[in-house]
Amino acid sequence: MVAPGGGGGASSWPSEGELDVVRQKVVEISGRVAGEVRVVACPYRICPLGAHVDHQGGTVTAMTINYGVLLGFVASDDAEISLQSGQFEGVIRFRVDDLQKPIENPENINWESYARGAVYALQNFGYDLKKGIIGYISGAKGLDSSGLSSSAAVGIAYLMALENVNDLVVSPVDNIQLDKSIENKYLGLENGILDPSAILLSRYGYLTFMDCKGCNITYRRSVDIIREFLSAKRLPAVKMHQVFFVMCILEENLARRAEHYFSETKRVVKGRDAWARGDLHEFGQLISASGRSSILNYECGSKEMIQLYEILLKAPGVLGARFSGAGFRGCCLAIVESGHAEEAAAFVRVEYEKAQPELVSKIQPDRRVLVCQPGDGARVI
């Protein structure tokens, strides 16, 4: 659950305590002093509106939350990379001047793959890497494969650490393409620009608005909101009667897919404007409508996820809810009034355990419902 805050201020994540833990781990494995340790903070992201339209070049909204990946690191004395993880055992060692070849079988992807993928992407974009890193990486426990883009956060963390120790100046837009190269070219996955764009471009207290056809950035102020755009050349406008005609000649399931795409595009624009006006009630209603369309028109969602979505809509103070991700696993997100956040969380814990007792028993108690705040973009601390 996300309880929106006002503009200004700063994200509460990462806390000094979280940073100290990561710095101390790096001190232990590197033998350096704490003052030398830098930390990349890469937050997880949610997309309140824009379900299943990013891969078709549509518009989406996004924001980061106050959970994510922390990568503490110091520069190596040479080209070697040495990494340890808070979630996985063992030590990764390889060199930045080793030639990295794409993974041929996706089943072979593991936590080492993202570090190698970052080196692969930087090599292939022509960046000169001379120094490696000694690092310790840790994500928010229990949130892997949760529909919050933890894999993109990991890839970006490695990119930013390697850029830092090699004195490379790389723009957020270029890092979006570098992370896309990790996912598409090295790992063989078909991910787009949504996840890295949200992680790199979001700002605390703001809603990020993206057109996934391109990657030019402009800024616009409305009330107390800065909206960031990834804009691109527009195709000629399609009139709604033309869309209706096309839908009439499509098979029923394809017509529903088209209905979802065009109605979701409208919801994104309406949601952007509602947020700018400070109308969170309308914003929430649009999120819930997005969730319904994903279920009915795009036919997404497992039984377990649909039940969770329906329970969230009944929770006190919830303004809107939908799946986070495709809806077949992971989690649901809800926008909730801050004064009702804990009450809503307690309601969902009880009701979902009634509906899915076996599933809930497998989830850590402190990870069943999380009350989150909007976060900031990826950065080196």
Side-chain angles (χ1 to χ4, degrees):
M1 293 185 173
V2 180
S11 170
S12 60
W13 181 82
S15 68
E16 280 303 317
E18 291 171 307
L19 290 171
D20 287 344
V21 168
V22 171
R23 289 183 181 121
Q24 187 56 38
K25 289 287 186 181
V26 178
V27 168
E28 291 170 6
I29 62 179
S30 69
R32 307 286 182 81
V33 297
E36 292 184 55
V37 180
R38 285 153 282 181
V39 182
V40 184
C42 270
Y44 299 149
R45 68 99 186 105
I46 58 170
C47 292
L49 289 166
H52 299 288
V53 298
D54 58 299
H55 39 72
Q56 300 174 70
T59 52
V60 301
T61 63
M63 65 174 67
T64 57
I65 60 173
N66 58 329
Y67 288 89
V69 170
L70 296 177
L71 169 60
F73 67 96
V74 293
S76 299
D77 293 327
D78 53 23
E80 184 173 88
I81 289 177
S82 176
L83 297 168
Q84 294 185 31
S85 167
Q87 278 74 44
F88 304 98
E89 295 182 355
V91 180
I92 292 173
R93 286 193 177 91
F94 67 98
R95 294 173 60 88
V96 296
D97 49 9
D98 291 341
L99 182 62
Q100 301 299 323
K101 296 181 180 179
I103 291 176
E104 296 181 358
N105 184 352
E107 293 184 0
N108 294 330
I109 295 173
N110 55 40
W111 76 279
E112 179 177 355
S113 305
Y114 288 88
R116 289 184 177 274
V119 172
Y120 168 88
L122 288 163
Q123 287 175 340
N124 278 271
F125 274 66
Y127 290 103
D128 186 20
L129 299 179
K130 289 186 170 62
K131 283 187 172 290
I133 58 173
I134 303 170
Y136 174 83
I137 190 164
S138 181
K141 292 181 179 179
L143 295 184
D144 295 333
S145 301
S146 56
L148 300 173
S149 301
S150 56
S151 60
V154 170
I156 291 167
Y158 286 131
L159 287 170
M160 294 180 74
L162 288 166
E163 291 158 6
N164 186 282
V165 300
N166 284 283
D167 298 321
L168 301 175
V169 179
V170 182
S171 71
V173 172
D174 287 339
N175 266 327
I176 291 168
Q177 296 304 319
L178 284 163
D179 187 69
K180 190 170 184 291
S181 179
I182 296 174
E183 303 271 5
N184 297 167
K185 300 293 179 64
Y186 184 77
L187 299 175
L189 305 176
E190 296 183 358
N191 298 14
I193 66 168
L194 168 59
D195 297 345
S197 299
I199 291 168
L200 285 158
L201 299 178
S202 290
R203 296 293 180 267
Y204 176 72
Y206 305 143
L207 182 70
T208 306
F209 177 81
M210 296 181 288
D211 183 334
C212 294
K213 289 175 185 171
C215 55
N216 295 318
I217 308 168
T218 58
Y219 297 88
R220 187 192 218 174
R221 290 185 182 272
S222 179
V223 191
D224 191 31
I225 305 298
I226 295 177
R227 288 171 296 185
E228 302 179 8
F229 292 82
L230 295 185
S231 58
K233 294 181 179 178
R234 290 284 186 181
L235 296 175
V238 179
K239 297 179 180 177
M240 287 314 296
H241 70 266
Q242 293 173 320
V243 175
F244 179 74
F245 173 74
V246 171
M247 288 173 62
C248 285
I249 63 174
L250 289 173
E251 296 178 8
E252 182 183 354
N253 66 323
L254 295 179
R256 289 203 302 271
R257 304 297 186 273
E259 166 65 21
H260 173 78
Y261 178 86
F262 288 105
S263 64
E264 187 72 356
T265 299
K266 284 185 175 181
R267 283 188 287 271
V268 170
V269 175
K270 288 181 179 179
R272 176 198 66 190
D273 295 340
W275 179 277
R277 293 194 306 272
D279 190 346
L280 292 181
H281 287 274
E282 182 183 350
F283 187 69
Q285 289 171 356
L286 291 164
I287 292 171
S288 298
S290 170
R292 283 191 295 273
S293 182
S294 292
I295 294 167
L296 299 175
N297 294 323
Y298 219 77
E299 297 184 272
C300 286
S302 62
K303 174 186 174 182
E304 296 82 359
M305 292 292 286
I306 293 172
Q307 283 180 324
L308 179 55
Y309 162 76
E310 292 170 345
I311 288 169
L312 281 165
L313 293 181
K314 298 173 185 175
V318 166
L319 303 175
R322 57 156 287 205
F323 305 140
S324 182
F328 297 105
R329 64 175 185 174
C331 64
C332 287
L333 68 90
I335 304 295
V336 60
E337 295 174 330
S338 352
H340 292 282
E342 294 300 335
E343 183 185 3
F347 176 89
V348 174
R349 286 188 190 101
V350 171
E351 294 302 314
Y352 197 59
E353 187 168 12
K354 290 179 187 175
Q356 291 290 337
E358 185 178 351
L359 175 61
V360 169
S361 69
K362 299 175 183 176
I363 304 171
Q364 299 174 43
D366 63 346
R367 286 296 183 262
R368 291 172 185 172
V369 182
L370 293 177
V371 177
C372 307
Q373 297 289 334
D376 212 337
R379 59 208 183 276
V380 178
I381 300 170

